[in-house]
Amino acid sequence: MKLAILSRAPRCYSTQRLRAAATARGHDVKVLDTLRFGIDLTGDEPDLTFRGKRLSTYDAVLPRIGNSITYFGTAVVRQFEQMDVYTPNSSYGITNSRDKLRATQILSRHKIVMPATTFVRNRADLVPAIERVGGAPVVIKLLEGTQGIGVILAPDIKVAEAIIETLHSTKQNVLIQRFVKESKGRDIRALVVGDRVVAAMRRVAQGDEFRSNVHRGGSVEPVALDPAFEAAAVKSAQIMGLRVAGVDMLEGNDGPLVMEVNSSPGLEGIETATKLDVAGAIIDYIDNQVAFPEIDVRQRLTVSTGYGVAEIVVHAGSDMVGKKLGDSGLDERDINVLALHRGTQVIPNPRNKTVLEGEDRLLCFGKLEEMRSMIPLRKKRQRVKRLPKTPLPADD
Ligand SMILES: Nc1ncnc2c1ncn2[C@@H]1O[C@H](COP(=O)(O)OP(=O)(O)O)[C@@H](O)[C@H]1O
Ligand SMILES: [Mg+2]
């Protein structure tokens, strides 16, 4: 395949290893400086220029987008997506993972366990928010920090309040998070490629530091992952739309607590700690998937008027419970079930003989009118009324 690695650091360990792994496997690989692309929307089709000239055809890209160029970098990746070029990490995945709040919001929807987190803006809501996550000591995080910078441990509520107010006054948004004391300055980094963890390490913070980032002096050691950690890492990466990701987890009393999903994980620490060829695993995965460029399913499936995607919940009392999917009447109503979600289990392409249970969630594609009747009623949209003659109450 012809592969472009998007990177501003051709000499750094990770880029060099990825390039070497691709070359060793006989691929045609180029490292291209992300900031030298031009997004070209002048012609009939989306196109890209590189160093001012039209870019030649590539089969796949591997984005290694630094934190300081997220906006431009994800725009370039998005353009490759519009051109049907395969990328293991989607542009929306990179964007969403860069913002710790966004990532937390998305992951919590899918029952990924994370340290208790809150986000507030008004001063009066600060103390209740800190108390909601278990009180002091409490962790405060800048939304877009990296390498441990912008992660603060506040020893008591007064200090926490002062820090947050100071940050708010300089227009910085922060997360308030439970301090997971039992993890004792250690965390787990799992390197996910596709649907498996290819390497994992434990990072241990230096001295009385609580942040285990290698950039903060943390040391690394290989670790054999517990299946619960492996499952949490893979699921988190998949939900974020990242097929190559470094998932950071704390070891909580009840199992893994996912902290963040990194879209451009460094390879030096993990390859050195585990002696595993992570770069090779990434290149092999891309080679294997290159025929499946990213498709925005909702976008593509809603092009036919009147058709769309919806989730239908089989309520416990519904007459669908106990029926086979083939006898549920959905097919006759032109509704296709793409996947069945049952608790944490997912059954893709469920068969007609699958028996429905209460609280099953069916991801469907079909006629919106037909599906509407099966979705619990929301309040009808009101017609827009005329503004009253006296729109505001009279002053006394
Ligand atoms: N809630 C927490 N409880 C305990 N330690 C934490 C918590 N959040 C972060 N840490 C420590 O701080 C480090 C950096 O936090 P993280 O959210 O990963 O930010 P960054 O993006 O800067 O790496 C983590 O690797 C972990 O060691
Ligand atoms: Mg981290």
Side-chain angles (χ1 to χ4, degrees):
M1 65 173 163
K2 190 164 166 195
L3 170 71
I5 299 174
L6 308 187
S7 170
R8 297 216 67 216
R11 287 182 199 295
C12 86
Y13 178 94
S14 303
T15 316
Q16 287 203 26
R17 282 282 303 127
L18 289 162
R19 188 216 301 259
T23 309
R25 284 161 175 75
H27 300 301
D28 179 1
V29 57
K30 294 255 169 6
V31 176
L32 304 178
D33 177 353
T34 318
L35 291 188
R36 296 303 307 270
F37 280 94
I39 288 163
D40 187 22
L41 302 167
T42 56
D44 297 343
E45 293 192 334
D47 215 339
L48 276 164
T49 61
F50 185 71
R51 293 182 182 274
K53 295 202 182 69
R54 191 174 177 172
L55 183 75
S56 59
T57 308
Y58 280 85
D59 301 310
V61 283
L62 174 55
R64 304 277 308 174
I65 308 296
N67 249 280
S68 55
I69 60 156
T70 302
Y71 190 83
F72 192 80
T74 51
V76 172
V77 176
R78 199 179 311 116
Q79 192 74 351
F80 274 112
E81 288 166 354
Q82 307 311 310
M83 294 159 67
D84 290 331
V85 176
Y86 176 76
T87 171
N89 287 354
S90 61
S91 55
Y92 67 86
I94 301 169
T95 310
N96 288 342
S97 67
R98 280 294 148 80
D99 181 313
K100 292 190 203 297
L101 175 65
R102 269 200 214 188
T104 310
Q105 288 178 295
I106 294 168
L107 291 174
S108 70
R109 164 73 174 78
H110 295 271
K111 308 222 160 36
I112 297 288
V113 188
M114 287 170 293
T117 303
T118 68
F119 183 68
V120 293
R121 191 66 185 82
N122 194 296
R123 203 176 156 168
D125 299 326
L126 270 181
V127 174
I130 296 170
E131 272 155 9
R132 259 202 314 282
V133 302
V138 69
V139 173
I140 299 165
K141 288 188 187 184
L142 291 183
L143 290 197
E144 302 199 359
T146 179
Q147 303 179 348
I149 301 164
V151 178
I152 307 163
L153 181 60
D156 63 62
I157 290 198
K158 278 270 157 274
V159 176
E161 254 190 300
I163 293 170
I164 298 168
E165 277 175 15
T166 308
L167 290 168
H168 278 170
S169 73
T170 57
K171 300 219 164 22
Q172 308 239 43
N173 281 314
V174 293
L175 289 186
I176 301 169
Q177 195 168 77
R178 177 171 92 83
F179 174 49
V180 183
K181 196 167 176 237
E182 65 263 28
S183 77
K184 301 188 195 80
R186 307 183 311 172
D187 74 353
I188 301 281
R189 159 63 63 93
L191 214 302
V192 176
V193 177
D195 54 10
R196 65 198 186 101
V197 171
V198 298
M201 63 179 174
R202 177 177 283 124
R203 301 182 297 189
V204 183
Q206 195 182 39
D208 56 6
E209 172 64 62
F210 79 104
R211 297 165 299 176
S212 52
N213 301 68
V214 175
H215 287 91
R216 305 268 73 74
S219 58
V220 298
E221 60 193 43
V223 64
L225 268 199
D226 186 275
F229 282 74
E230 200 159 328
V234 170
K235 197 171 169 199
S236 303
Q238 289 184 329
I239 292 165
M240 295 304 293
L242 301 171
R243 304 286 175 262
V244 174
V247 181
D248 293 347
M249 293 166 284
L250 292 170
E251 294 164 278
N253 285 334
D254 299 322
L257 295 167
V258 174
M259 272 184 306
E260 61 166 354
V261 183
N262 295 280
S263 61
S264 300
L267 301 184
E268 189 165 10
I270 199 141
E271 286 197 338
T272 314
T274 62
K275 308 272 183 292
L276 290 170
D277 180 7
V278 176
I282 294 173
I283 299 297
D284 286 340
Y285 178 77
I286 296 174
D287 189 23
N288 211 347
Q289 296 294 311
V290 81
F292 302 106
E294 185 71 23
I295 291 176
D296 184 327
V297 179
R298 184 177 273 275
Q299 223 177 62
R300 301 282 172 97
L301 289 184
T302 44
V303 177
S304 349
T305 325
Y307 280 78
V309 182
E311 188 172 67
I312 296 174
V313 180
V314 181
H315 289 290
S318 141
D319 58 1
M320 289 213 280
V321 175
K323 273 195 185 153
K324 289 185 182 152
L325 189 55
D327 302 330
S328 65
L330 291 173
D331 191 44
E332 290 75 8
R333 300 170 77 168
D334 208 4
I335 299 171
N336 234 307
V337 182
L338 306 173
L340 188 160
H341 293 250
R342 179 172 291 162
T344 52
Q345 193 197 358
V346 185
I347 306 171
N349 274 337
R351 301 286 145 193
N352 277 337
K353 59 178 196 289
T354 307
V355 177
L356 296 172
E357 294 179 9
E359 300 316 314
D360 277 354
R361 282 169 294 128
L362 308 174
L363 181 66
C364 300
F365 173 67
K367 260 207 185 101
L368 289 171
E369 259 329 298
E370 291 291 340
M371 294 194 291
R372 190 187 311 283
S373 63
M374 316 195 65
I375 294 173
L377 285 183
R378 291 202 189 200
K379 254 178 87 184
K380 280 244 176 71
R381 201 188 297 171
Q382 301 281 327
R383 260 194 41 210
V384 183
K385 297 189 181 122
R386 292 185 72 86
L387 197 64
K389 281 223 172 64
T390 48
L392 292 174
D395 277 337
D396 297 323

